């Protein structure tokens, strides 16, 4: 992909409201990298106190933890200042407000009918390279960073209970969106932390990542790969896991996990394939040019339509 020269890139402000790992991947790391390359970018956690006259484009990041009322208030401020506004909608649903374009992590979220680009999320392996495992036990992680009370976790319970009974030395880590499982599976199940550095340590301790129930995004899979984990997913996640993981329905999960636990050599082969795939195609260095291109295209399209409206 041809690199857009910083001279031709709009002066861009990124606004994120929380410091979760989605914010680090979708905004903090990319903006920091672009700034070191000389792109005219800035980032903050609020438009308040920022000189909006210094920017042409304002990108708001919406994560599962974002307060939509706060988002709408700040979008309105940027709109009154005459800025082109993009929303990076990395959460279910769609907030009210004036948006001139939308970017999505993997196409699984709403665009609100706006022009949009799908931009995959890359990971930054080096930033967490020094993270140590929290446990030496073989660990299975059921991760969900989105509170999903409507998710029916019951189909997983027979398999998870069977794993806990037949493999007592295997640890189970549960993401906070799957908290209902804490009381259903085992007393020593531990809850996934929310902070980025703690999350890194947790993900670094996971040998098998289960993708079921609540929304799972591609970077969840890539993170697991970064530390040598493998992925077992519901067939509905085939578009994310592709051929680099194992697909299994909830009632098939026990047999698949049992096979992998009893065959460490097979597990190693899958680990190496996923690590190679992520290292070659899904690091931040590979995905940032696509992010830049998407922002540029959406901004240029909006500027073009504004010019036509004034001259038409």
């Amino acid at each position: 992909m041809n690199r857009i020269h910083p001279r031709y890139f709009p002066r861009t402000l990124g606004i994120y409201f929380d410091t979760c790992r989605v914010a680090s991947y979708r905004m903090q790391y990319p903006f920091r990298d672009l700034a070191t390359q000389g792109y005219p970018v800035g980032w903050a956690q609020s438009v308040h106190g920022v000189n909006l006259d210094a920017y042409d484009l304002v990108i708001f990041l919406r994560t599962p933890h974002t307060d939509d009322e706060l988002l709408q208030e700040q979008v309105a401020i940027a709109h009154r200042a005459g800025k082109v506004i993009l929303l990076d909608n990395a959460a279910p649903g769609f907030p009210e407000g004036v948006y001139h374009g939308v970017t999505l992590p993997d196409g699984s979220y709403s665009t609100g009918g706006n022009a949009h680009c799908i931009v995959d999320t890359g990971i930054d392996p080096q930033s967490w390279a020094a993270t140590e495992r929290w446990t030496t036990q073989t660990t299975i992680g059921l991760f969900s960073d989105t509170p999903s009370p409507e998710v029916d976790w019951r189909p997983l319970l027979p398999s998870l209970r069977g794993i806990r009974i037949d493999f007592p030395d295997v640890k189970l880590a549960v993401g906070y969106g799957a908290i209902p499982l804490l009381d259903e599976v085992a007393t020593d199940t531990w809850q996934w932390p929310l902070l980025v550095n703690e999350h890194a340590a947790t993900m670094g301790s996971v040998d098998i990542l289960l993708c079921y129930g609540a929304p799972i995004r591609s970077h969840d899979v890539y993170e697991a790969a970064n530390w040598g984990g493998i992925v077992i997913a519901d067939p509905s996640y085939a578009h994310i896991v592709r051929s680099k993981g194992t697909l299994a329905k909830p009632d098939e999960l026990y047999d698949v996990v049992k096979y992998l636990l009893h065959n460490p050599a097979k597990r190693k082969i899958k680990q190496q394939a996923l690590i190679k795939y992520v290292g070659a195609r899904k690091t931040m260095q590979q995905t940032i040019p696509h992010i830049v291109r998407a922002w540029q295209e959406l901004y240029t399209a909006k500027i073009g339509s504004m010019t036509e409206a004034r001259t038409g």
Side-chain angles (χ1 to χ4, degrees):
M1 174 176 290
N2 293 332
R3 177 175 177 266
I4 298 174
H5 194 280
R7 183 185 306 168
Y8 305 110
F9 192 72
R11 299 174 302 168
T12 303
L13 173 65
I15 298 295
Y16 61 98
F17 300 102
D18 45 67
T19 56
C20 67
R21 69 198 181 90
V22 178
S24 67
Y25 285 152
R26 300 293 293 184
M27 189 156 286
Q28 291 170 291
Y29 291 157
F31 271 74
R32 191 178 304 136
D33 185 85
L34 291 173
T36 62
Q37 296 181 46
Y39 283 84
V41 299
W43 59 98
Q45 288 187 261
S46 170
V47 298
H48 296 299
V50 176
N51 178 18
L52 291 179
D53 291 337
Y55 299 99
D56 309 300
L57 170 64
V58 182
I59 302 173
F60 290 91
L61 172 65
R62 179 174 179 261
T63 78
H65 314 290
T66 299
D67 181 334
D68 279 347
E69 290 188 5
L70 176 61
L71 169 64
Q72 291 160 18
E73 172 209 331
Q74 301 221 357
V75 166
I77 292 173
H79 184 250
R80 288 195 296 270
K83 305 303 166 184
V84 174
I85 300 170
L86 300 184
L87 176 70
D88 190 16
N89 196 32
F94 197 85
E96 295 182 3
V98 178
Y99 305 100
H100 303 123
V102 176
T103 51
L104 302 171
D106 54 26
S108 62
Y109 299 130
S110 175
T111 65
N114 293 273
H116 69 280
C117 291
I118 296 174
V119 181
D120 209 351
T121 304
I123 69 168
D124 185 11
Q126 294 182 348
S127 66
W128 290 347
T131 303
E132 297 181 359
R133 289 180 65 107
W134 276 11
T135 176
T136 57
Q137 288 180 265
T138 299
T139 301
I140 297 174
L142 177 62
F143 176 65
S144 167
D145 70 349
T146 305
S148 303
E150 73 281 1
V151 172
D152 184 3
W153 299 102
R154 287 174 296 179
L156 289 175
L157 289 177
S159 289
L160 294 178
R161 286 171 177 154
I163 293 168
R164 297 302 294 124
I165 293 171
D166 295 344
F167 300 94
D169 293 333
V170 172
K171 195 80 171 175
L172 179 64
V174 176
Y176 86 101
I179 281 178
L181 286 173
L182 286 173
D183 297 329
E184 297 284 350
V185 180
T187 56
D188 64 344
T189 301
W190 43 289
Q191 184 177 336
W192 212 291
L194 304 183
L195 298 179
V196 171
N197 59 338
E198 293 180 350
H199 167 81
T202 308
M203 186 63 84
S205 301
V206 169
D207 300 286
I208 300 175
L209 178 68
L210 307 181
C211 299
Y212 290 85
I216 296 291
R217 291 174 296 279
S218 54
H219 59 262
D220 301 323
V221 174
Y222 306 154
E223 286 173 352
N226 188 49
W227 282 280
I230 62 172
V231 176
I232 304 175
D234 186 272
S236 62
Y237 294 125
H239 64 294
I240 293 177
V241 177
R242 299 182 176 90
S243 61
K244 307 307 176 184
T246 299
L247 300 178
K249 297 177 181 178
D251 60 356
E252 300 169 336
L253 179 60
Y254 173 84
D255 290 334
V256 172
V257 170
K258 179 180 178 180
Y259 174 79
L260 291 171
L261 290 176
H262 282 159
N263 293 274
K266 294 288 186 181
R267 209 165 78 215
K268 187 68 174 179
I269 292 173
K270 288 183 175 292
Q271 288 173 342
Q272 292 174 340
L274 191 53
I275 291 172
K276 183 178 180 180
Y277 172 76
V278 172
R281 300 180 60 180
K282 298 302 179 182
T283 65
M284 194 71 68
Q285 288 66 38
Q286 276 103 29
T287 57
I288 283 179
H290 295 275
I291 295 174
V292 170
R293 180 69 62 180
W295 291 344
Q296 176 79 24
E297 289 179 357
L298 291 169
Y299 174 79
T300 302
K302 179 55 185 176
I303 291 298
S305 65
M306 292 169 62
T307 301
E308 290 179 5
R310 285 196 297 265
T311 59

